[in-house]
């Protein structure tokens, strides 16, 4: 296993009597998109801010690119890019002014005109920050986070409050970042976002890591149930399925049948039975659990806004 | 170490200038007060002391206080909006981020003073005879001292909505008791001692002295008082200043 880009062990951070992060350990590897997922207040942002070197942990060890985020803060700032949750800029700063200011702060920068072009902000160069839409603001923050060609990019709740289209644009930007070989660590409370973007996720709840893995692994491990729903006018469908598949639950509502089973092979088994028995069907769909179901199962409640 | 200082200062200046109401409140209002009061007391008595009081010194002090209130507003709005936090996540040093604000406020003070002198010479000829360099330096030192108090206020007040009114509510009474309208020794003893802690009291003493042409030598105590406030408040600010 190569050395992780980010290694966190037993991180703990409290604010007075509030425990923001109780005990978080995780590793992020080079070139992956790693997601911290969990409800608001779970400790995602505090964890990220400690890793970025913006907060001093009460205890625990953190290394980023082999550096200590607090002790080596100035060296690290040249190598990481940060986008904060609910960030703002001066209301009346122009897009090009922000980009220009940021680019003077780093020893190495990318071609900013090209960067604005890629993020679709080239026509907004002279616009005041306050006149940008939510999606444009976030794209500007992505631009500012990428201006010095960082090796690791932190994106905190990047798409919160954006409409679906803007969200999709941002998602493709994030996968672009990975395709340039960078490591991305992002936090989100949108399970769909995590499932689409992240190579691996850590589920965080009450300041602790509940589970880590690829979205697929987590679904297979925690939610192996599969469900098949189809519609058929053929006679005795329920009995034929009970005979063929054993005690799997078969529920019917008129001509609509719902079969429930477990494991990878369940859907294939159902299709085989349909084919062998020559059952004619009109509609057919499968319901595979998502990361959302895993989250629900592991934490006992849904994500809340 | 101060990477980005001038660029940040320039950007902040442009951002400030794009808000006409803020510019007017900071630079225009003191000059207008000066002109209106000057008309009321009559052109020949504008710089008398007393009666009723030295108007140019009052206007200069109003400029200093209004730039400080503007600073308190900017800092608290930036903090509330997460702008300070965002700037801190860059390689900008804290000194650069706050220093840029100080430089802008000092420049604004000088611009305000220039406007004041031009207006005075236009409307009250003969009333603005003063060693301008000396007076400018005295006003800048005064502004710096009041600015340091502004940083303390901006540090301890949690929201932008309260910071600006609170700064005004503290600073304007300080002007009232600064010795400009009546001698400080006419105040009750406790208050008389208290006002020695206010930067405005020393500022008025120094500015009146320089205005009268008696020079810094005769008023080093006032200058020292301003420096003492500056050092104390700067020390407090570095301990209590919050970035978010």
């Amino acid at each position: 296993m190569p050395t992780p880009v980010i290694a966190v062990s037993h991180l703990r951070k409290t604010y007075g009597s509030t425990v923001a992060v109780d005990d978080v350990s995780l590793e992020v590897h080079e070139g992956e998109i790693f997601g911290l997922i969990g409800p608001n207040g779970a400790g995602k942002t505090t964890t990220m801010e400690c890793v970025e070197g913006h907060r001093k942990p009460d205890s625990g060890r953190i290394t980023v690119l082999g550096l200590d985020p607090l002790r080596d803060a100035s060296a690290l700032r040249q190598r990481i890019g940060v986008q904060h949750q609910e960030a703002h800029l001066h209301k009346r700063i122009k897009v090009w002014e922000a980009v220009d200011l940021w680019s003077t702060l780093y020893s190495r920068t990318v071609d900013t005109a090209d960067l604005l072009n890629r993020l679709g902000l080239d026509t907004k160069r002279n616009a005041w920050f306050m006149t940008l839409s939510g999606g444009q603001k976030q794209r500007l923050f992505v631009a500012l986070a990428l201006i010095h060609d960082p090796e690791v990019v932190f994106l905190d709740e990047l798409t919160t409050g954006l409409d679906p289209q803007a969200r999709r644009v941002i998602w493709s930007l994030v996968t672009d970042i990975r395709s340039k070989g960078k490591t991305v660590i992002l936090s989100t409370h949108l399970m769909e976002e995590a499932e689409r973007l992240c190579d691996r996720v850590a589920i965080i709840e009450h300041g602790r890591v509940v589970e880590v893995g690829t979205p697929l692994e987590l679904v297979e491990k925690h939610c192996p149930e599969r469900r098949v729903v189809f519609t058929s006018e053929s006679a005795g469908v329920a009995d034929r399925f009970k005979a063929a598949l054993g005690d799997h639950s078969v529920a019917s509502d008129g001509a609509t049948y719902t079969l429930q089973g477990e494991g990878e092979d369940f859907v294939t088994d159902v299709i085989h039975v349909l084919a062998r028995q020559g059952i004619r069907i009109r509609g057919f769909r499968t319901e595979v659990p998502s990361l959302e179901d895993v989250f629900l199962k592991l934490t006992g409640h849904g994500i809340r806004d | 170490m101060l990477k980005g200082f001038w660029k940040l200062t320039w950007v902040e200046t442009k951002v400030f200038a794009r808000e006409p109401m803020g510019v007017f409140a900071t630079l225009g209002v003191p000059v207008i007060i000066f002109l209106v009061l000057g008309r009321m007391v009559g052109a020949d008595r504008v710089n008398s002391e007393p009666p009723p009081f030295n108007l140019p010194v009052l206007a200069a002090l109003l400029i200093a206080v209004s730039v400080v209130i503007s600073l308190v507003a900017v800092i608290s709005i930036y903090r509330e909006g997460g702008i300070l936090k965002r700037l801190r996540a860059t390689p900008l040093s804290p000194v650069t981020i706050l220093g840029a604000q100080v430089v802008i406020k000092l420049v604004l003070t000088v611009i305000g003073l220039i406007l004041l002198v031009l207006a005075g010479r236009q409307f009250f000829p003969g009333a603005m005879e003063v060693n301008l360099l000396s007076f400018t330096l005295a006003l800048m030192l005064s502004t710096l001292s009041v600015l340091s108090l502004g940083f303390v206020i901006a540090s301890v007040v949690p929201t932008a909505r309260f910071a600006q009114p609170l700064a005004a509510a503290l600073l304007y009474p300080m002007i009232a008791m600064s010795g400009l309208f009546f001698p400080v020794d006419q105040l009750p003893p406790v208050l008389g001692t208290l006002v020695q802690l206010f930067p405005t009291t020393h500022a008025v003493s120094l500015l009146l002295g320089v205005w009268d042409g008696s020079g810094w030598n005769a008023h080093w105590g006032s200058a020292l008082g301003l420096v003492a406030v500056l050092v104390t408040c700067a020390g407090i600010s570095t301990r209590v200043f919050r970035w978010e």
Side-chain angles (χ1 to χ4, degrees):
Chain A
M1 206 69 178
T3 335
V5 170
I6 297 170
V8 178
S9 73
H10 301 296
L11 172 68
R12 183 179 169 84
K13 173 74 184 173
T14 56
Y15 300 113
S17 58
T18 313
V19 180
V21 176
D22 187 13
D23 183 1
V24 164
S25 300
L26 47 88
E27 288 186 348
V28 179
H29 302 289
E30 192 177 344
E32 72 174 346
I33 301 180
F34 187 90
L36 300 177
I37 60 180
N40 291 335
K44 306 187 294 289
T45 297
T46 306
T47 301
M48 284 183 81
E49 288 177 346
C50 288
V51 176
E52 293 157 4
H54 295 132
R55 289 192 194 283
K56 191 176 180 298
D58 297 348
S59 60
R61 276 173 52 95
I62 303 173
T63 58
V64 181
L65 297 165
L67 300 171
D68 179 323
L70 288 173
R71 207 186 51 224
D72 309 317
S74 58
L76 200 58
R77 261 166 217 190
Q78 296 284 345
R79 297 175 65 187
I80 64 171
V82 174
Q83 175 268 329
H84 283 303
Q85 182 178 2
E86 284 164 18
H88 286 279
L89 275 179
H90 312 68
K91 283 187 347 200
R92 291 174 172 78
I93 195 169
K94 289 180 182 174
V95 168
W96 75 265
E97 287 170 343
V99 170
D100 183 45
L101 172 62
W102 254 250
S103 64
T104 57
L105 305 178
Y106 298 96
S107 40
R108 176 180 63 142
T109 56
V110 298
D111 178 353
T112 54
D114 176 57
L115 182 65
L116 287 181
N117 225 340
R118 272 199 288 132
L119 299 189
L121 288 169
D122 40 335
T123 57
K124 289 284 167 188
R125 280 176 48 84
N126 285 312
W128 286 356
F129 178 74
M130 63 190 281
T131 65
L132 300 179
S133 71
Q136 289 164 343
K137 282 179 184 164
Q138 289 301 51
R139 277 183 275 150
L140 174 58
F141 285 121
V142 173
L144 297 181
L146 295 179
I147 214 157
H148 53 298
D149 201 21
E151 294 155 64
V152 185
V153 183
F154 295 82
L155 305 171
D156 193 1
E157 296 280 356
L158 191 58
T159 63
T160 301
L162 295 189
D163 58 53
Q165 274 124 325
R167 194 168 278 160
R168 262 152 227 279
V169 173
I170 300 269
W171 286 348
S172 74
L173 289 177
V174 175
T175 44
D176 279 356
I177 299 173
R178 177 182 53 192
S179 70
K180 294 204 162 40
K182 300 180 193 313
T183 307
V184 179
I185 174 165
L186 62 84
S187 77
T188 181
H189 63 265
L190 299 173
M191 292 299 139
E192 191 198 348
E193 179 165 298
E195 213 156 17
R196 288 225 184 182
L197 284 181
C198 297
D199 299 307
R200 289 193 307 133
V201 296
I203 296 179
I204 298 193
E205 163 93 324
H206 300 309
R208 287 170 166 270
V209 176
V210 182
E211 183 63 287
V212 186
T214 70
L216 200 64
E217 274 169 16
L218 296 188
V219 171
E220 280 173 5
K221 180 174 168 192
H222 294 285
C223 296
E225 316 80 49
R226 297 288 182 276
R227 198 183 288 172
V228 174
V229 182
F230 63 86
T231 323
S232 173
E233 308 292 348
S234 301
V237 171
D239 292 335
R240 283 148 85 183
F241 262 98
K242 272 182 188 150
L245 290 176
D247 257 350
H248 287 294
S249 96
V250 179
S252 62
D253 175 17
T256 303
Y257 297 87
T258 304
L259 310 183
Q260 200 147 344
E262 272 191 13
E264 288 288 87
D265 297 331
F266 179 68
V267 178
T268 317
D269 290 347
V270 171
I271 292 173
H272 278 155
V273 173
L274 288 172
R276 269 206 312 272
Q277 304 262 347
I279 298 171
R280 295 187 62 81
I281 54 170
R282 276 195 283 124
F284 184 94
R285 69 190 154 89
T286 57
E287 289 178 1
V288 181
S290 66
L291 205 51
E292 181 109 41
D293 299 297
V294 175
F295 187 83
L296 211 74
K297 188 161 179 182
L298 290 180
T299 64
H301 56 74
I303 214 104
R304 35 177 202 270
D305 271 303
Chain B
M1 183 203 155
L2 292 183
K3 212 171 189 179
F5 182 84
W6 294 112
K7 188 142 266 177
L8 179 65
T9 307
W10 179 230
V11 168
E12 294 277 4
T13 305
K14 287 195 278 187
V15 168
F16 176 80
R18 285 173 192 154
E19 205 157 11
M21 279 314 291
V23 177
F24 178 74
T26 310
L27 295 178
V29 170
V31 175
I32 290 172
I33 291 176
F34 170 63
L35 292 178
V36 169
L37 290 180
R39 274 288 150 87
M40 285 164 65
V41 300
D44 52 327
R45 289 166 65 194
V46 161
N47 65 349
S48 60
E49 176 223 347
F53 49 84
N54 187 312
L55 256 181
V57 168
L58 171 69
L61 202 59
L62 286 177
I63 293 169
V65 165
S66 68
V67 304
V68 172
I69 291 172
S70 151
L71 172 104
V72 173
V74 166
I75 296 286
S76 52
I77 289 169
Y78 280 16
R79 180 169 50 219
E80 206 161 295
I83 297 171
L84 284 182
K85 188 179 166 189
R86 186 65 194 85
L87 289 175
R88 266 214 100 177
T90 67
L92 282 169
S93 78
V95 176
T96 302
I97 297 168
L98 300 180
Q101 296 296 338
V102 173
V103 168
I104 292 167
K105 298 312 173 199
L106 284 181
V107 170
L108 278 179
T109 308
V110 174
I111 294 173
L113 185 60
I114 292 170
L115 290 177
L116 184 69
V117 170
L118 290 178
R121 288 195 172 152
Q122 177 70 33
F123 295 100
F124 315 121
M128 306 302 282
E129 300 311 319
V130 63
N131 182 340
L132 266 183
L133 179 65
S134 194
F135 191 76
T136 305
L137 289 176
L139 185 61
M140 285 173 80
L141 176 62
S142 303
T143 307
L144 264 181
S145 188
V146 187
L147 274 174
S148 68
L149 181 62
F151 268 107
V152 175
I153 297 171
S155 304
V156 296
V157 182
T159 66
R161 223 155 58 98
F162 290 115
Q164 198 173 347
L166 182 77
L170 285 173
L171 292 173
Y172 287 119
M174 283 187 184
I175 295 183
M177 293 185 287
S178 63
L180 191 58
F181 303 102
F182 53 88
V184 171
D185 52 25
Q186 285 180 9
L187 286 166
V190 179
L191 216 48
T193 314
L194 191 66
V195 296
Q196 294 305 320
L197 301 175
F198 299 165
T200 41
T201 312
H202 303 289
V204 162
S205 165
L206 179 65
L207 290 170
L208 284 177
V210 171
W211 192 270
D212 291 343
S214 53
W216 288 62
N217 279 344
H219 298 281
W220 62 268
S222 307
L224 207 62
L226 288 171
V227 172
V229 172
L230 174 61
V231 171
T232 311
C233 289
I236 295 173
S237 297
T238 55
R239 282 169 192 277
V240 298
F241 192 81
R242 290 173 300 109
W243 293 88
E244 53 186 287

